[in-house]
Amino acid sequence: QKEVEQNSGPLSVPEGAIASLNCTYSDRGSQSFFWYRQYSGKSPELIMSIYSNGDKEDGRFTAQLNKASQYVSLLIRDSQPSDSATYLCAVNSGYSTLTFGKGTMLLVSP
Amino acid sequence: GAGVSQSPSNKVTEKGKDVELRCDPISGHTALYWYRQSLGQGLEFLIYFQGNSAPDKSGLPSDRFSAERTGGSVSTLTIQRTQQEDSAVYLCASSLAGVEGGGLSYEQYFGPGTRLTVT
């Protein structure tokens, strides 16, 4: 059974710090990896996609992928209170469906 | 362009009644997904439609749940004889899956959801 694991948190960081969110997955054949942000009472919003080993940067967000370790992470630089949300990791393993983790709650304090 | 739309945004129904939830995917997206999210819980996959292929119904929790997709576009999720445990937010997502292939085609975009409350 394909699994995606995330620490439920909450992860608390002060404003301006780097938030590091981690995700591990069980299916070694996984090919595509996604991070979604979900504010309380809202639906998930796609914020990052990564398909090959290494880092991918988009503004204050950096996704990191290490397929050998079956590990994907999301770094948020200069964290803002508006970044406070639940971050969902999702993995695709060659079919059109995604397997989602349960999410990590991030709290950024002013 | 327009995103995924869902209606109604909120639905309150009495136990035992049937409900229909609607999803209109992004234009050109061939894949459509239904999820359920109970309060404080993760996403629970329900059903997946891809083009004209038979849907993947492996996530439907009981035979009270059914879904259809007409003309490869709009989808309706029907819950018969609703129970209190059906109360949740029902989310629809769509993707390009199968159109272009590769990672981009698997990016799922979610609608705003329908909050279902069964009293």
Side-chain angles (χ1 to χ4, degrees):
Chain A
Q1 183 173 348
K2 300 169 188 173
E3 294 181 344
V4 177
E5 300 288 341
Q6 296 181 256
N7 189 317
S8 62
L11 172 66
S12 295
V13 300
E15 184 175 357
I18 296 174
S20 178
L21 303 160
N22 304 314
C23 171
T24 59
Y25 57 93
S26 63
D27 186 352
R28 188 170 289 278
S30 299
Q31 300 172 352
S32 307
F33 307 85
F34 308 91
W35 283 99
Y36 287 80
R37 177 176 62 197
Q38 186 173 25
Y39 291 114
S40 181
K42 301 295 185 181
S43 61
E45 173 193 9
L46 179 65
I47 56 172
M48 287 289 286
S49 307
I50 187 166
Y51 310 112
S52 55
N53 277 330
D55 294 0
K56 178 182 177 183
E57 185 175 321
D58 184 0
R60 294 186 297 112
F61 298 98
T62 298
Q64 299 176 317
L65 174 61
N66 183 326
K67 290 186 178 180
S69 299
Q70 296 175 240
Y71 178 93
V72 58
S73 65
L74 179 70
L75 301 179
I76 306 175
R77 290 182 300 281
D78 188 24
S79 295
Q80 301 296 309
S82 59
D83 295 325
S84 297
T86 296
Y87 290 80
L88 304 174
C89 174
V91 175
N92 168 267
S93 300
Y95 299 94
S96 296
T97 55
L98 298 180
T99 302
F100 285 84
K102 294 188 183 302
T104 298
M105 181 183 293
L106 173 66
L107 297 176
V108 182
S109 54
Chain B
V4 178
S5 61
Q6 292 186 246
S7 61
S9 56
N10 282 284
K11 176 71 176 179
V12 180
T13 190
E14 293 180 351
K15 177 181 174 181
K17 300 285 190 182
D18 297 354
V19 295
E20 286 189 350
L21 312 180
R22 175 188 168 105
C23 173
D24 201 339
I26 293 171
S27 177
H29 280 193
T30 62
L32 186 148
Y33 314 79
W34 283 99
Y35 296 87
R36 178 169 71 175
Q37 190 172 38
S38 301
L39 189 63
Q41 300 299 309
L43 290 172
E44 177 186 4
F45 167 76
L46 297 177
I47 189 169
Y48 154 59
F49 294 90
Q50 170 58 58
N52 295 320
S53 302
D56 176 356
K57 304 179 182 180
S58 60
L60 294 179
S62 78
D63 59 8
R64 296 187 295 105
F65 288 72
S66 63
E68 62 177 20
R69 189 179 185 192
T70 54
S73 181
V74 172
S75 177
T76 302
L77 177 69
T78 301
I79 309 173
Q80 296 179 309
R81 306 181 301 282
T82 52
Q83 304 295 312
Q84 289 187 330
E85 60 262 30
D86 299 334
S87 296
V89 176
Y90 289 80
L91 292 160
C92 175
S94 70
S95 76
L96 282 169
V99 174
E100 296 183 2
L104 281 175
S105 66
Y106 301 130
E107 293 181 350
Q108 293 185 20
Y109 296 88
F110 284 83
T114 294
R115 183 175 299 277
L116 175 66
T117 303
V118 181
T119 61

